Amino acid sequence: MGEISCSNGIGNGNGVNGKTHSSLNGYRKSCWYEEEIEENLRWCFALNSILHTGASRYQDIALLDTKPFGKALIIDGKLQSAEVDEFIYHESLVHPALLHHSSPKTVFIMGGGEGSTAREILRHKTAVKVVMCDIDEEVVDFCKAYLVVNREAFCDPRLEVIINDARAELEIGKECYDVIIGDLADPIEGGPCYKLYTKSFYEHTVKPKLNRGGIFVTQAGPAGIFSHTEVFSCICNTLKQVFKYVVPYSAHIPSFADTWGWVMASDTPFTLSADESDSRIKQRIKGENRYLDGKTFSSASTLSKAVRKSLDNETHVYTEGTARFIYGHGSVQKQNQA
């Protein structure tokens, strides 16, 4: 649950639970964003300002200017990305799959309304057509207007933006793709996306829409030493029921206050070495990656002993009837800053 609160910086007035305190005796008021990660664990950071808040028929939306992480996009009270470190998430989501593919020309993005995933894909010289399908037009328009870093991507003629449910769009469409990317919101109880993490969706919708040698990759939620059992381990196990080759990997995202996970899957084996990855990066990608190279991916896909053991022993298969969810269902509450 995400909350914005203000405090005066004295005594124990720390703005918890959305209480707003007036400035007293000349003390400067501070404003904070707070997100409940677990029942007994909250993550908060100071704000410079609240840039914009709004709501669509699907979600609450906020853009905050934070002191430690720059501009941060908040949807339904959950931090989606922050200006300072979003490159870690998006490079990790996009580049391993596109580099492991022999020649990725067509890419379908499920979600991705922020535009950052499209931005990273469009850096690949092989990319001919990128389809970004997001259900929420207001989020897409919001990000076009406020996230300056992605404006060039939204103007790229190779990008086609479709406003629709990704599942419906894949099912009605005739085209197949070299890579399909799940840049979806986390599976939150009551949220719009959890059905796109199920075995039936992977088996009957995603896999048939991949070209020969095609690769699917999805964000898979928290993957920390304690948090990976929420959804990461069962998403990985679910994909193992559908694809022959599955590679889970993770990276620490400072603004998420946790290690984050992705899972890459295909019926073609992943054989690219670190040196071969670096060679393809030089040949295929415009500009220099800030985070990901061959050695980084090798490290990211070498999970800790505890997480490996947990994934090996995972038996849960994600279905609509047996869905798992990450903790919380938040909403941003804008407090009086006067």
Side-chain angles (χ1 to χ4, degrees):
M1 179 177 182
E3 294 180 344
I4 299 170
S5 59
C6 298
S7 69
N8 56 27
I10 61 174
N12 60 1
N14 52 18
V16 175
N17 296 326
K19 297 178 181 178
T20 305
H21 304 271
S22 300
S23 296
L24 299 174
N25 301 325
Y27 283 91
R28 186 175 62 183
K29 182 185 295 184
S30 61
C31 208
W32 291 78
Y33 171 74
E34 181 182 272
E35 185 171 313
E36 193 168 5
I37 299 173
E38 296 176 10
E39 185 175 359
N40 298 311
L41 181 62
R42 294 184 175 190
W43 171 233
C44 63
F45 39 84
L47 303 181
N48 291 313
S49 63
I50 301 169
L51 298 174
H52 189 80
T53 59
S56 72
R57 60 180 288 198
Y58 299 103
Q59 305 163 113
D60 292 327
I61 314 162
L63 186 66
L64 311 178
D65 182 9
T66 77
K67 290 182 184 291
F69 301 117
K71 293 178 183 177
L73 178 66
I74 314 293
I75 294 181
D76 273 349
K78 302 297 262 185
L79 177 66
Q80 301 299 305
S81 71
E83 186 177 28
V84 167
D85 62 7
E86 58 88 4
F87 69 94
I88 303 173
Y89 173 93
H90 291 103
E91 288 187 16
S92 297
L93 174 66
V94 169
H95 297 311
L98 269 70
L99 291 170
H100 278 82
H101 194 283
S102 59
S103 182
K105 293 181 173 64
T106 56
V107 183
F108 186 93
I109 308 168
M110 303 189 302
E114 176 186 346
S116 298
T117 295
R119 179 197 71 214
E120 292 301 316
I121 296 168
L122 291 166
R123 292 177 57 213
H124 283 254
K125 298 173 185 178
T126 60
V128 174
K129 181 178 181 180
V130 180
V131 177
M132 185 184 87
C133 182
D134 197 290
I135 196 171
D136 199 331
E137 186 170 18
E138 283 95 335
V139 168
V140 175
D141 290 343
F142 179 93
C143 293
K144 281 183 179 180
Y146 291 98
L147 299 183
V148 178
V149 68
N150 294 331
R151 284 183 181 168
E152 185 176 340
F154 277 115
C155 294
D156 194 303
R158 293 173 293 169
L159 178 65
E160 178 183 357
V161 178
I162 296 174
I163 304 302
N164 197 4
D165 175 77
R167 182 175 198 158
E169 187 64 30
L170 285 170
E171 288 175 347
I172 64 175
K174 296 181 179 179
E175 188 171 358
C176 291
Y177 301 89
D178 296 321
V179 177
I180 296 177
I181 296 176
D183 186 16
L184 302 163
D186 299 317
I188 298 175
E189 192 167 9
C193 291
Y194 78 93
K195 294 180 181 180
L196 303 187
Y197 293 93
T198 61
K199 180 177 182 288
S200 62
F201 175 64
Y202 294 149
E203 186 171 24
H204 301 300
T205 303
V206 171
K207 190 171 181 178
K209 292 299 180 179
L210 285 171
N211 289 323
R212 184 179 179 86
I215 297 173
F216 172 67
V217 62
T218 184
Q219 82 88 14
I225 194 73
F226 300 119
S227 60
H228 72 276
T229 55
E230 285 186 298
V231 294
F232 179 62
S233 59
C234 70
I235 290 172
C236 181
N237 184 59
T238 302
L239 283 166
K240 287 179 180 178
Q241 313 307 308
V242 178
F243 292 93
K244 291 181 181 177
Y245 304 97
V246 174
V247 177
Y249 58 102
S250 64
H252 179 66
I253 312 290
S255 63
F256 289 0
D258 205 348
T259 300
W260 213 252
W262 302 266
V263 185
M264 186 168 62
S266 180
D267 282 342
T268 300
F270 299 108
T271 59
L272 204 65
S273 69
D275 288 342
E276 289 168 334
S277 291
D278 288 338
S279 178
R280 287 188 177 183
I281 288 172
K282 290 179 181 179
Q283 293 169 5
R284 296 184 182 183
I285 298 180
K286 297 177 183 177
E288 185 175 354
N289 286 347
R290 296 174 64 189
Y291 178 76
L292 192 114
D293 62 5
K295 288 183 179 179
T296 302
F297 181 72
S298 294
S299 174
S301 56
T302 305
L303 304 175
S304 69
K305 177 182 177 180
V307 175
R308 290 199 313 271
K309 185 175 180 180
S310 182
L311 265 60
D312 288 343
N313 293 332
E314 180 63 78
T315 60
H316 189 92
V317 175
Y318 205 107
T319 69
E320 290 187 23
T322 63
R324 288 182 180 175
F325 305 100
I326 68 165
Y327 182 82
H329 188 121
S331 61
V332 174
Q333 300 176 7
K334 184 177 180 181
Q335 303 293 330
N336 181 14
Q337 300 176 78

